[in-house]
Amino acid sequence: MAGSFLTAQGLSSEQLFEIFDRIKILKHDMKQGKTLDVLQNKVIGILFEKPSTRTRTSFESAILRLGGSTIYLPVADLQIKRGEPIEDTSRMFGSYLDALVARVFEHQTVIDLSQYSGIPIINGLSDLAHPTQAVCDIFTVLEVKGQVKGLKLAYIGDGNNVCHSLLMVCALAGMHMTVACPEGYCPDPAILHKAESIAAQTGAQLSVVESPDEASVGAHVLYTDVWVSMGEEEEEKTKLEIFKGYQINVDLLKVAAEDAHVMHCLPAHRGLEITDEVIEGPRSIVWQQAENKMYGAAGILDHFL
Ligand code: CP
Ligand code: NVA
């Protein structure tokens, strides 16, 4: 199905599981070193307004491994920086490229890119959503646990982009999710509402609480993200204070299910949102999670292109 992937809410449960199946097959084939031509003759732009280690590298690597080509487009090198409207830039991208992976500050930018370019736009993170991350992450849960339906994920931290997409993907997958966040940093009510309406169809239970302990009771997965997101550097001092208790550590793991695993979208700040002991410990599946971003990127591109 050709189209943009701006948030996970456009997906159906069936499509999500089709993508998971595709990721599994492509992971197998890519690991075998098979020559793949899924993206043969496709030229895909990689437009980033913010730094990235994993999303950029995993997408570029996946595109090259699937027979496509990439053009890296840092915004500082584009005329957008000198005031060219996003509409005009998007029209050019529509003429030159087959698709674009974009990491932006404002979610409206990926909407505009999609509307004016007419080519598939893959959201590589906006202030509102990080859908490719959540798809890859819940694929990792499926891979590790053998199932996702009925399992519980506890998200500890800021209720922003990564949390929003996890809510949506968990809802689609029938996986329960409890968010623990400090007052003022809870998920966007409109996104929570949308995720809840999906959850009502799939049997997932979603909730938001303040206490990390309460959220983690019986959880099969503990998940966290940075306390200070890109673009929030000025709020750093305040946020470090507010989020102090929102750390995944061995004490929090004791509250979770016996076989609970720990995930982090990365980059991690050891000693803040997660301890060194936990991220490097036996319950951590963080490195498998990060590795799967490349296979996830492949499956997502295959689906949307
Ligand atoms: N998790 C993630 O999106 O990492 P990067 O910021 O390095 O791309
Ligand atoms: N919430 C983080 C995610 C980083 C992958 C941010 O927006 O910076």
Side-chain angles (χ1 to χ4, degrees):
M1 183 198 75
S4 288
F5 188 37
L6 306 186
T7 70
Q9 77 181 55
L11 287 178
S12 65
S13 294
E14 292 70 30
Q15 286 169 332
L16 177 68
F17 283 97
E18 273 168 33
I19 295 174
F20 287 162
D21 288 344
R22 201 62 195 129
I23 296 172
K24 187 177 173 189
I25 292 167
L26 285 168
K27 178 170 181 177
H28 174 265
D29 289 353
M30 287 161 86
K31 276 193 175 281
Q32 299 274 312
K34 273 195 188 165
T35 305
L36 299 165
D37 58 4
V38 173
L39 297 179
Q40 204 173 25
N41 300 324
K42 301 273 187 224
V43 180
I44 300 174
I46 312 281
L47 179 143
F48 276 53
E49 290 183 348
K50 301 181 189 179
S52 169
T53 296
R54 282 148 288 272
T55 308
R56 177 188 167 189
T57 317
S58 59
F59 265 96
E60 286 211 46
S61 186
I63 293 163
L64 297 173
R65 285 168 200 272
L66 297 184
S69 312
T70 64
I71 303 178
Y72 181 53
L73 302 160
V75 165
D77 292 356
L78 299 176
Q79 297 287 11
I80 299 175
K81 201 70 193 164
R82 298 176 60 246
E84 182 167 19
I86 193 74
E87 293 84 342
D88 297 2
T89 306
S90 305
R91 289 186 182 106
M92 301 308 108
F93 289 156
S95 312
Y96 307 148
L97 302 170
D98 295 296
L100 183 76
V101 181
R103 168 166 290 192
V104 299
F105 283 97
E106 290 174 21
H107 189 72
Q108 185 61 40
T109 306
V110 285
I111 297 175
D112 290 343
L113 282 164
S114 177
Q115 183 176 345
Y116 293 99
S117 71
I119 56 172
I121 305 295
I122 309 294
N123 180 2
L125 182 143
S126 64
D127 55 354
L128 196 79
H130 198 2
T132 66
Q133 179 74 45
V135 168
C136 299
D137 293 344
I138 303 307
F139 170 79
T140 301
V141 176
L142 182 61
E143 193 176 57
V144 171
K145 307 274 197 192
Q147 57 162 352
V148 287
K149 204 169 168 59
L151 295 188
K152 175 183 172 184
L153 182 146
Y155 175 93
I156 314 297
D158 200 353
N160 65 358
N161 47 16
V162 170
C163 176
H164 287 159
S165 294
L166 285 170
L167 278 166
M168 215 57 87
V169 174
C170 282
L172 286 166
M175 191 170 171
H176 310 315
M177 175 167 166
T178 302
V179 179
C181 50
E183 201 188 331
Y185 295 90
C186 293
D188 182 324
I191 292 183
L192 185 62
H193 186 70
K194 177 69 197 170
E196 278 169 346
S197 68
I198 296 170
Q201 309 292 313
T202 63
Q205 289 161 16
L206 308 178
S207 54
V208 179
V209 299
E210 204 167 330
S211 152
D213 278 298
E214 187 185 341
S216 303
V217 174
H220 304 95
V221 176
L222 297 186
Y223 191 116
T224 192
D225 180 11
V226 297
W227 290 345
V228 182
S229 285
M230 290 178 275
E232 294 183 338
E233 290 72 16
E234 281 182 6
E235 295 168 54
E236 180 165 353
K237 217 171 143 234
T238 319
K239 290 193 88 176
L240 292 191
E241 198 52 43
I242 290 172
F243 280 89
K244 247 183 199 160
Y246 290 79
Q247 182 187 67
I248 298 187
N249 51 37
V250 283
D251 288 335
L252 197 63
L253 257 173
K254 284 181 194 150
V255 180
E258 228 171 273
D259 59 349
H261 286 99
V262 173
M263 302 181 80
H264 190 315
C265 57
L266 302 175
H269 301 81
R270 291 166 167 80
L272 296 182
E273 74 274 2
I274 194 162
T275 60
D276 187 59
E277 193 181 7
V278 168
I279 198 170
E280 297 294 351
R283 305 291 195 85
S284 169
I285 52 169
V286 167
W287 317 116
Q288 182 174 346
Q289 174 188 5
E291 182 192 347
N292 277 339
K293 280 181 70 96
M294 181 171 76
Y295 306 114
I300 288 165
L301 287 164
D302 186 33
H303 180 84
F304 284 95
L305 266 68

